[in-house]
Amino acid sequence: LHAMALRPDVTCLIVGDGELRTELEQLARTLGCANVRFMGAQPDAARLMPLFDVFCLPSVWEGLGVVLLEAMLQNVPIVGSRAGAIPEVLDHGRCGILFDPASVESLVDAIDALRSDPARRQSLIAAGREHAASTYAVRRMGDETCGLYRELCGQVARA
């Protein structure tokens, strides 16, 4: 929200709901963020992805971040924080721009970088789509999980 206060020309849609929503809506009003829209919970939020110029995940902590894979597969460039598994999912910046979650300026710079460099934007989209399709393909993950189970079962049988 602080980043959006610095970029009133950027429209921000916040999709999802939670116990902090009222507090965040109040903060948006306090900051004068007329450019922020709270969409609430969306039963099929993934269908909104193609409408985004940029997908931003500013989490301070995040596990796998499946939403990042959804954005990659729908050709949406990503700005994500250097928190939790986000750098790994974004292939350490090859598939999206990473920013410091403690720095509003870092987030603003990342958004501006995507807005001002169409070639970089296209490069991130292509890398993201390829990375998500190859690294996180259901068949590959299933095969690797089964392989791990076979390996572990073999170790137990030998013990």
Side-chain angles (χ1 to χ4, degrees):
L1 293 174
H2 290 276
M4 290 302 96
L6 297 173
R7 288 296 178 269
D9 59 319
V10 173
T11 299
C12 174
L13 301 178
I14 298 180
V15 179
D17 226 340
E19 60 189 45
L20 296 177
R21 180 174 176 169
T22 302
E23 182 180 332
L24 293 173
E25 288 174 331
Q26 178 57 45
L27 178 59
R29 284 190 295 277
T30 300
L31 293 171
C33 293
N35 56 331
V36 175
R37 307 280 184 271
F38 289 85
M39 305 291 293
Q42 299 292 315
D44 189 13
R47 70 180 166 73
L48 299 173
M49 287 273 183
L51 304 174
F52 299 163
D53 292 326
V54 174
F55 177 81
C56 179
L57 189 59
S59 301
V60 183
W61 184 91
E62 187 70 40
L64 174 60
V66 173
V67 69
L68 295 171
L69 302 176
E70 291 172 341
M72 288 181 199
L73 293 171
Q74 295 203 40
N75 301 318
V76 179
I78 299 168
V79 170
S81 66
R82 284 188 182 91
I86 295 171
E88 183 179 343
V89 174
L90 295 181
D91 200 13
H92 304 284
R94 192 178 70 85
C95 303
I97 297 178
L98 295 169
F99 68 93
D100 177 357
S103 169
V104 172
E105 293 78 18
S106 180
L107 172 53
V108 170
D109 290 346
I111 292 169
D112 288 349
L114 271 182
R115 295 175 71 209
S116 65
D117 190 343
R120 184 173 186 195
R121 178 184 169 85
Q122 289 306 313
S123 172
L124 291 171
I125 288 171
R129 184 178 51 248
E130 187 280 324
H131 182 61
S134 63
T135 305
Y136 296 96
V138 172
R139 178 180 229 56
R140 178 179 176 185
M141 291 191 309
D143 289 347
E144 288 179 5
T145 300
C146 287
L148 177 61
Y149 286 158
R150 281 189 206 97
E151 180 184 331
L152 293 173
C153 287
Q155 289 175 6
V156 169
R158 287 189 295 271

